[in-house]
Amino acid sequence: MYQDEIKEAVRNAYSGISTGGGHPVARRFYSESELAEIPEGSIEWALGVGNPVRYAFLQPGETVLDVGSGGGIDTILAARRVGPLGTAIGLDIVDEMRARGRRHAAAAGVSGWTEFLRGEMEAIPLPDGSVDVVISNGVLNLSARKSRALAEIFRVLRPGGRICLADLTVEGELPPEVANDQSAWSG
Amino acid sequence: MAERVFAGKLERAGFHNVWMGGHRPFGIDEATLYPLFTPEVISEMRRTIPSDHQDHVATGVIVKARKPG
């Protein structure tokens, strides 16, 4: 598949689903106390593969960018950690996901210091050095231009800034019937 | 993307102190929890991936790194 085909397949897949993984996915990665911090609607849209916020050691006042924020589960957890003196920014290319993120952030009471931007991870619409921490959850593997995405993440981080990404790695080759399937790319 | 490839891309992007941990197997049964995997691709995975690898098709990992400052 070509880069544009992959991007379109991913966008269509995420636009087309009517629910996320819900509690069966969320409970794999988040503790009961973490889930208690998140609105039910956000849990319904859990689609991640880990818990980057737990490992990010976010501090009050920090600016955090969540690349591929989806239904907002990690953006909201990050917003709670950085507090109203900080900023949590969710970035997503899918309009429906950003709308959900905004709605869930409002339900969580963190919308005063949380925003959701439209954009691609390969062209992040933020200035150089404007972010303290970048998190993401199962998103970088969706990019057909991973080096470009990492260069963009590096650019928007301030000197000394850090990343904490949850993702999937694959050792060896998947069967071509699976590797070339749009659904496998999107998942 | 293999873990060593991921680490290499991070280093080429300029990141330092690359750390990878929290490894967790991701198998076909886990994939079924995600609506993004269609029943057709799940079926194809079960058909084409050797049975002794089906519980560990990929690995969930936490990746940390720092921009030099």
Side-chain angles (χ1 to χ4, degrees), chain A residues 110-183:
Chain A
V110 301
S111 53
W113 61 98
T114 303
E115 57 185 303
F116 290 88
L117 300 179
R118 185 180 201 284
E120 301 175 1
M121 64 181 122
E122 299 88 355
I124 299 173
L126 288 172
D128 296 0
S130 57
V131 170
D132 295 303
V133 185
V134 173
I135 61 171
S136 84
N137 196 348
V139 172
L140 194 74
N141 69 76
L142 302 175
S143 175
R145 301 166 65 208
K146 296 175 178 61
S147 294
R148 172 68 190 169
L150 289 172
E152 274 295 274
I153 289 170
F154 188 88
R155 178 185 66 77
V156 301
L157 276 173
R158 67 164 173 79
R162 61 197 192 277
I163 61 171
C164 188
L165 318 175
D167 223 315
L168 293 178
T169 59
V170 177
E171 305 299 330
E173 296 290 324
L174 290 171
E177 298 93 327
V178 174
N180 293 327
D181 189 289
Q182 290 191 357
S183 164

Coordinates of all heavy atoms in Angstrom, one line a residue, chain A residues 110-183:
Chain A
V110 N -12.2 19.1 32.7 CA -10.8 19.5 32.4 C -10.7 20.4 31.2 O -9.6 20.7 30.7 CB -9.8 18.3 32.3 CG1 -9.8 17.5 33.6 CG2 -10.2 17.4 31.2
S111 N -11.9 20.7 30.6 CA -11.8 21.4 29.3 C -11.2 22.8 29.4 O -10.8 23.4 28.4 CB -13.2 21.5 28.7 OG -14.1 22.0 29.6
G112 N -11.1 23.4 30.6 CA -10.5 24.7 30.8 C -9.1 24.8 30.4 O -8.5 25.8 30.0
W113 N -8.4 23.6 30.5 CA -7.0 23.6 30.1 C -6.6 22.5 29.1 O -5.5 22.0 29.1 CB -6.1 23.6 31.4 CG -6.3 22.4 32.3 CD1 -5.5 21.2 32.3 CD2 -7.3 22.2 33.3 NE1 -6.0 20.4 33.2 CE2 -7.0 20.9 33.9 CE3 -8.3 23.0 33.8 CZ2 -7.8 20.4 34.9 CZ3 -9.1 22.5 34.8 CH2 -8.9 21.2 35.3
T114 N -7.7 22.1 28.4 CA -7.5 21.0 27.4 C -8.0 21.5 26.1 O -9.1 22.1 26.0 CB -8.3 19.8 27.8 OG1 -7.9 19.4 29.1 CG2 -8.1 18.6 26.9
E115 N -7.3 21.2 25.0 CA -7.8 21.6 23.7 C -7.5 20.4 22.7 O -6.6 19.6 23.0 CB -7.1 22.8 23.2 CG -5.6 22.8 23.1 CD -5.0 24.1 22.7 OE1 -5.3 24.6 21.6 OE2 -4.1 24.7 23.5
F116 N -8.3 20.4 21.7 CA -8.1 19.3 20.7 C -7.9 20.0 19.3 O -8.7 20.8 18.9 CB -9.4 18.4 20.7 CG -9.5 17.6 21.9 CD1 -10.1 18.1 23.0 CD2 -8.9 16.3 21.9 CE1 -10.2 17.3 24.2 CE2 -9.0 15.5 23.1 CZ -9.6 16.0 24.2
L117 N -6.8 19.6 18.7 CA -6.4 20.2 17.4 C -6.6 19.2 16.3 O -6.3 18.0 16.5 CB -4.9 20.6 17.4 CG -4.5 21.6 18.5 CD1 -3.0 21.9 18.4 CD2 -5.3 22.9 18.3
R118 N -6.9 19.7 15.1 CA -7.0 18.9 13.9 C -5.6 18.9 13.3 O -5.0 19.9 13.1 CB -8.0 19.4 12.9 CG -8.1 18.6 11.7 CD -9.1 19.2 10.7 NE -9.7 18.2 9.8 CZ -9.0 17.6 8.8 NH1 -7.8 18.1 8.5 NH2 -9.6 16.7 8.1
G119 N -5.1 17.7 13.0 CA -3.8 17.6 12.4 C -3.2 16.2 12.3 O -3.8 15.3 12.9
E120 N -2.2 16.1 11.5 CA -1.5 14.8 11.3 C -0.2 14.8 12.1 O 0.4 15.8 12.3 CB -1.2 14.7 9.8 CG -2.3 14.7 8.9 CD -1.9 14.7 7.4 OE1 -0.7 14.6 7.1 OE2 -2.8 14.7 6.5
M121 N 0.1 13.6 12.5 CA 1.4 13.5 13.3 C 2.6 13.8 12.4 O 3.7 14.1 13.0 CB 1.5 12.1 13.9 CG 1.6 10.9 12.9 SD 1.7 9.4 13.8 CE 0.2 8.5 13.1
E122 N 2.4 13.8 11.1 CA 3.6 14.1 10.2 C 3.7 15.6 10.0 O 4.6 16.0 9.3 CB 3.5 13.3 8.9 CG 3.5 11.8 9.0 CD 2.0 11.2 9.3 OE1 1.1 12.0 9.4 OE2 1.9 10.0 9.3
A123 N 2.7 16.3 10.4 CA 2.7 17.8 10.3 C 2.0 18.4 11.4 O 0.9 18.9 11.3 CB 2.1 18.2 8.9
I124 N 2.6 18.4 12.6 CA 1.9 18.8 13.8 C 1.8 20.4 13.8 O 2.7 21.1 13.7 CB 2.7 18.4 15.0 CG1 2.9 16.9 15.1 CG2 2.1 18.9 16.3 CD1 3.8 16.3 16.1
P125 N 0.5 20.8 14.0 CA 0.3 22.3 13.9 C 0.6 23.0 15.2 O -0.2 23.7 15.8 CB -1.2 22.3 13.6 CG -1.8 21.1 14.3 CD -0.7 20.1 14.2
L126 N 1.9 22.9 15.6 CA 2.3 23.6 16.8 C 3.7 24.2 16.6 O 4.5 23.6 15.8 CB 2.4 22.6 18.0 CG 1.1 22.2 18.6 CD1 1.3 21.0 19.6 CD2 0.3 23.3 19.3
P127 N 4.1 25.2 17.3 CA 5.4 25.8 17.1 C 6.5 25.0 17.6 O 6.3 24.1 18.4 CB 5.3 27.2 17.9 CG 3.9 27.3 18.3 CD 3.3 26.0 18.2
D128 N 7.7 25.3 17.1 CA 8.9 24.6 17.6 C 9.0 24.8 19.1 O 8.8 25.8 19.7 CB 10.2 25.2 17.0 CG 10.3 25.0 15.5 OD1 9.3 24.4 14.9 OD2 11.3 25.4 14.9
G129 N 9.5 23.7 19.8 CA 9.8 23.8 21.3 C 8.7 24.3 22.2 O 8.9 24.9 23.2
S130 N 7.4 23.9 21.8 CA 6.3 24.5 22.5 C 5.7 23.4 23.5 O 4.7 23.8 24.2 CB 5.2 24.9 21.6 OG 4.8 23.9 20.7
V131 N 6.2 22.2 23.6 CA 5.6 21.2 24.4 C 6.7 20.6 25.3 O 7.8 20.4 24.9 CB 5.1 20.1 23.4 CG1 4.6 18.8 24.1 CG2 3.9 20.6 22.6
D132 N 6.2 20.2 26.5 CA 7.2 19.6 27.5 C 7.2 18.1 27.3 O 8.3 17.5 27.5 CB 6.7 19.9 28.9 CG 6.8 21.4 29.3 OD1 7.9 21.9 29.2 OD2 5.7 21.9 29.7
V133 N 6.1 17.5 27.0 CA 6.0 16.0 27.0 C 5.0 15.7 25.8 O 4.0 16.3 25.6 CB 5.4 15.4 28.3 CG1 5.4 13.9 28.2 CG2 6.1 15.9 29.5
V134 N 5.4 14.7 25.0 CA 4.6 14.1 24.0 C 4.2 12.7 24.4 O 5.1 11.9 24.8 CB 5.2 14.1 22.6 CG1 4.3 13.3 21.6 CG2 5.4 15.5 22.1
I135 N 2.9 12.4 24.5 CA 2.5 11.0 24.7 C 1.7 10.5 23.5 O 1.2 11.3 22.7 CB 1.6 10.9 25.9 CG1 0.3 11.7 25.8 CG2 2.4 11.3 27.2 CD1 -0.7 11.5 26.9
S136 N 1.6 9.2 23.3 CA 0.7 8.7 22.3 C 0.5 7.2 22.6 O 1.2 6.6 23.4 CB 1.2 8.8 20.8 OG 2.0 7.8 20.5
N137 N -0.6 6.7 22.1 CA -1.0 5.3 22.5 C -1.5 4.5 21.3 O -2.7 4.7 20.8 CB -2.1 5.4 23.5 CG -2.3 4.2 24.3 OD1 -1.8 3.1 23.9 ND2 -3.1 4.2 25.4
G138 N -0.6 3.7 20.7 CA -1.0 2.9 19.6 C -1.2 3.6 18.3 O -2.0 3.2 17.5
V139 N -0.5 4.7 18.1 CA -0.7 5.6 17.0 C 0.5 5.6 16.0 O 0.2 5.6 14.8 CB -1.0 7.0 17.5 CG1 -1.1 8.0 16.4 CG2 -2.3 7.0 18.3
L140 N 1.7 5.7 16.5 CA 2.8 5.8 15.6 C 2.9 4.7 14.6 O 3.2 4.9 13.5 CB 4.1 5.9 16.4 CG 5.3 6.3 15.6 CD1 5.2 7.8 15.3 CD2 6.6 6.0 16.2
N141 N 2.4 3.5 15.0 CA 2.5 2.3 14.1 C 1.5 2.5 13.0 O 1.5 1.8 12.0 CB 2.2 1.0 14.9 CG 0.8 0.9 15.4 OD1 -0.1 0.6 14.6 ND2 0.7 1.1 16.7
L142 N 0.6 3.5 13.1 CA -0.4 3.7 12.0 C 0.2 4.6 10.9 O -0.4 4.7 9.8 CB -1.6 4.4 12.5 CG -2.4 3.7 13.7 CD1 -3.5 4.6 14.2 CD2 -2.9 2.4 13.2
S143 N 1.3 5.2 11.1 CA 1.9 6.1 10.2 C 2.7 5.4 9.1 O 3.5 4.5 9.5 CB 2.8 7.2 10.9 OG 3.4 8.0 9.9
A144 N 2.5 5.8 7.9 CA 3.4 5.2 6.8 C 4.7 6.0 6.7 O 5.6 5.7 6.0 CB 2.6 5.3 5.5
R145 N 4.8 7.1 7.5 CA 6.0 7.9 7.5 C 6.5 8.1 8.9 O 6.4 9.2 9.5 CB 5.7 9.3 6.8 CG 5.3 9.1 5.4 CD 4.7 10.4 4.8 NE 5.6 11.5 4.7 CZ 5.3 12.8 4.8 NH1 4.1 13.1 5.1 NH2 6.3 13.7 4.7
K146 N 6.9 7.0 9.6 CA 7.2 7.1 11.0 C 8.4 8.0 11.3 O 8.4 8.7 12.3 CB 7.5 5.7 11.5 CG 6.2 4.7 11.4 CD 6.6 3.3 11.8 CE 5.3 2.4 11.7 NZ 4.7 2.3 10.4
S147 N 9.4 8.0 10.4 CA 10.5 8.9 10.7 C 10.1 10.3 10.6 O 10.6 11.2 11.4 CB 11.7 8.6 9.7 OG 12.2 7.3 9.9
R148 N 9.2 10.7 9.7 CA 8.7 12.0 9.6 C 7.9 12.4 10.9 O 8.1 13.5 11.4 CB 7.8 12.2 8.4 CG 7.1 13.5 8.2 CD 8.0 14.6 8.0 NE 7.3 15.9 8.1 CZ 7.9 17.1 8.1 NH1 9.3 17.1 8.0 NH2 7.2 18.2 8.2
A149 N 7.1 11.5 11.3 CA 6.3 11.7 12.5 C 7.2 12.0 13.7 O 7.0 12.9 14.5 CB 5.3 10.6 12.8
L150 N 8.3 11.1 13.9 CA 9.2 11.3 15.0 C 9.9 12.6 14.9 O 10.2 13.3 15.9 CB 10.2 10.1 15.0 CG 9.5 8.8 15.5 CD1 10.5 7.7 15.3 CD2 9.1 8.9 16.9
A151 N 10.3 13.1 13.7 CA 11.0 14.3 13.5 C 10.0 15.5 13.9 O 10.5 16.5 14.5 CB 11.4 14.5 12.0
E152 N 8.8 15.4 13.6 CA 7.8 16.4 14.0 C 7.7 16.4 15.5 O 7.6 17.5 16.1 CB 6.5 16.1 13.4 CG 6.3 16.7 12.0 CD 6.4 18.3 12.0 OE1 5.3 18.9 12.3 OE2 7.5 18.8 11.9
I153 N 7.6 15.3 16.1 CA 7.5 15.2 17.6 C 8.7 15.9 18.2 O 8.6 16.6 19.2 CB 7.3 13.7 18.1 CG1 5.9 13.3 17.7 CG2 7.6 13.6 19.6 CD1 5.7 11.8 17.9
F154 N 9.9 15.6 17.7 CA 11.1 16.1 18.2 C 11.1 17.7 18.0 O 11.5 18.4 18.9 CB 12.3 15.6 17.4 CG 13.7 15.9 17.9 CD1 14.3 15.1 18.8 CD2 14.4 17.0 17.4 CE1 15.6 15.5 19.3 CE2 15.6 17.4 17.8 CZ 16.2 16.6 18.8
R155 N 10.6 18.1 16.9 CA 10.6 19.6 16.6 C 9.7 20.3 17.7 O 10.1 21.4 18.2 CB 10.0 19.8 15.2 CG 9.9 21.3 14.9 CD 9.2 21.5 13.5 NE 7.8 21.1 13.5 CZ 6.8 21.8 14.0 NH1 7.1 23.0 14.6 NH2 5.6 21.3 13.9
V156 N 8.5 19.8 18.0 CA 7.6 20.5 18.9 C 8.0 20.4 20.3 O 7.6 21.2 21.2 CB 6.2 20.1 18.7 CG1 5.7 20.3 17.3 CG2 5.9 18.7 19.1
L157 N 8.9 19.5 20.7 CA 9.4 19.4 22.1 C 10.4 20.5 22.4 O 11.2 20.9 21.6 CB 10.1 18.0 22.3 CG 9.2 16.8 22.6 CD1 10.1 15.6 22.6 CD2 8.5 17.0 23.9
R158 N 10.3 21.0 23.6 CA 11.3 21.9 24.1 C 12.6 21.2 24.3 O 12.6 19.9 24.6 CB 10.8 22.6 25.3 CG 10.7 21.7 26.5 CD 10.7 22.5 27.8 NE 10.4 21.6 29.0 CZ 11.3 20.8 29.6 NH1 12.6 20.8 29.1 NH2 11.0 20.0 30.6
P159 N 13.8 21.8 24.3 CA 15.0 21.2 24.7 C 14.8 20.6 26.1 O 14.3 21.2 27.0 CB 16.0 22.3 24.7 CG 15.5 23.3 23.7 CD 14.0 23.2 23.9
G160 N 15.2 19.3 26.3 CA 15.0 18.6 27.5 C 13.6 18.0 27.6 O 13.4 17.3 28.6
G161 N 12.8 18.2 26.7 CA 11.4 17.6 26.7 C 11.5 16.1 26.5 O 12.5 15.5 26.1
R162 N 10.4 15.4 26.7 CA 10.5 13.9 26.7 C 9.2 13.4 26.0 O 8.2 14.0 25.9 CB 10.6 13.4 28.1 CG 9.5 13.7 29.1 CD 9.9 13.5 30.5 NE 8.7 13.6 31.4 CZ 8.2 14.7 31.9 NH1 8.7 15.9 31.6 NH2 7.1 14.7 32.7
I163 N 9.4 12.1 25.6 CA 8.3 11.4 25.0 C 8.0 10.2 25.8 O 8.9 9.6 26.5 CB 8.6 11.0 23.5 CG1 9.8 10.0 23.5 CG2 8.7 12.2 22.6 CD1 10.0 9.4 22.1
C164 N 6.7 9.7 25.8 CA 6.4 8.5 26.4 C 5.2 7.9 25.5 O 4.1 8.4 25.5 CB 5.9 8.7 27.8 SG 5.6 7.1 28.7
L165 N 5.6 6.9 24.8 CA 4.7 6.3 23.7 C 4.4 4.9 24.0 O 5.3 4.1 24.4 CB 5.4 6.4 22.3 CG 6.1 7.7 22.0 CD1 6.8 7.5 20.6 CD2 5.2 8.9 21.9
A166 N 3.2 4.5 23.9 CA 2.8 3.1 24.0 C 2.5 2.7 22.5 O 1.8 3.4 21.8 CB 1.5 2.9 24.8
D167 N 3.1 1.5 22.1 CA 2.9 1.1 20.8 C 3.1 -0.4 20.6 O 3.5 -1.0 21.6 CB 3.8 1.9 19.8 CG 3.0 2.3 18.6 OD1 2.3 1.5 18.0 OD2 3.2 3.5 18.2
L168 N 2.9 -0.9 19.4 CA 3.1 -2.3 19.1 C 4.3 -2.4 18.3 O 4.5 -1.7 17.3 CB 1.9 -2.9 18.4 CG 0.6 -3.0 19.1 CD1 -0.5 -3.6 18.2 CD2 0.7 -3.9 20.4
T169 N 5.1 -3.4 18.6 CA 6.2 -3.8 17.7 C 6.0 -5.2 17.2 O 5.3 -6.0 17.9 CB 7.6 -3.7 18.5 OG1 7.6 -4.6 19.6 CG2 7.9 -2.3 19.0
V170 N 6.6 -5.5 16.1 CA 6.4 -6.8 15.5 C 7.8 -7.3 15.1 O 8.5 -6.6 14.3 CB 5.5 -6.7 14.2 CG1 5.5 -8.1 13.6 CG2 4.1 -6.3 14.6
E171 N 8.2 -8.4 15.6 CA 9.5 -9.0 15.2 C 9.2 -10.0 14.1 O 8.3 -10.8 14.2 CB 10.1 -9.7 16.4 CG 10.3 -8.8 17.6 CD 11.2 -7.6 17.4 OE1 12.2 -7.7 16.5 OE2 11.0 -6.6 18.0
G172 N 10.0 -10.0 13.0 CA 9.7 -10.8 11.9 C 8.6 -10.3 11.0 O 8.2 -9.2 11.2
E173 N 8.2 -11.1 10.1 CA 7.2 -10.7 9.1 C 5.9 -11.3 9.4 O 5.8 -12.5 9.8 CB 7.7 -11.2 7.7 CG 9.0 -10.6 7.2 CD 8.9 -9.2 6.8 OE1 7.8 -8.8 6.3 OE2 9.9 -8.4 7.1
L174 N 4.8 -10.5 9.2 CA 3.5 -11.0 9.2 C 3.2 -11.6 7.8 O 3.8 -11.2 6.8 CB 2.5 -9.9 9.5 CG 2.5 -9.3 10.9 CD1 1.6 -8.0 10.9 CD2 2.1 -10.3 11.9
P175 N 2.3 -12.6 7.8 CA 1.9 -13.2 6.5 C 1.4 -12.0 5.6 O 0.7 -11.1 6.1 CB 0.8 -14.1 6.8 CG 1.0 -14.4 8.3 CD 1.6 -13.2 8.9
P176 N 1.7 -12.1 4.3 CA 1.3 -11.0 3.4 C -0.2 -10.8 3.4 O -0.6 -9.6 3.2 CB 1.9 -11.4 2.0 CG 2.3 -12.8 2.2 CD 2.6 -13.1 3.6
E177 N -1.0 -11.8 3.5 CA -2.4 -11.7 3.5 C -2.9 -10.7 4.7 O -3.9 -10.0 4.6 CB -3.1 -13.0 3.7 CG -2.8 -14.0 2.6 CD -1.7 -14.9 3.0 OE1 -0.7 -14.5 3.6 OE2 -1.7 -16.1 2.5
V178 N -2.1 -10.8 5.8 CA -2.4 -9.9 6.9 C -1.8 -8.5 6.8 O -2.4 -7.5 7.0 CB -2.0 -10.6 8.2 CG1 -2.2 -9.7 9.4 CG2 -2.7 -11.9 8.4
A179 N -0.5 -8.5 6.4 CA 0.3 -7.3 6.4 C -0.3 -6.3 5.3 O -0.2 -5.1 5.5 CB 1.7 -7.6 6.0
N180 N -0.9 -6.9 4.3 CA -1.4 -6.0 3.2 C -2.9 -5.7 3.4 O -3.5 -5.0 2.5 CB -1.2 -6.7 1.8 CG 0.2 -6.8 1.5 OD1 1.0 -5.9 1.8 ND2 0.6 -7.8 0.8
D181 N -3.5 -6.1 4.4 CA -4.9 -5.9 4.7 C -5.1 -4.5 5.3 O -4.4 -4.2 6.3 CB -5.5 -6.9 5.6 CG -7.0 -6.8 5.7 OD1 -7.5 -5.9 6.3 OD2 -7.7 -7.7 5.1
Q182 N -6.0 -3.7 4.8 CA -6.2 -2.3 5.3 C -6.6 -2.4 6.8 O -6.2 -1.5 7.6 CB -7.2 -1.6 4.5 CG -6.8 -1.2 3.1 CD -7.7 -0.3 2.5 OE1 -8.8 0.1 3.0 NE2 -7.4 0.2 1.3
S183 N -7.4 -3.3 7.2 CA -7.9 -3.5 8.5 C -6.7 -3.7 9.5 O -6.6 -3.2 10.6 CB -8.9 -4.6 8.7 OG -9.1 -5.0 10.0

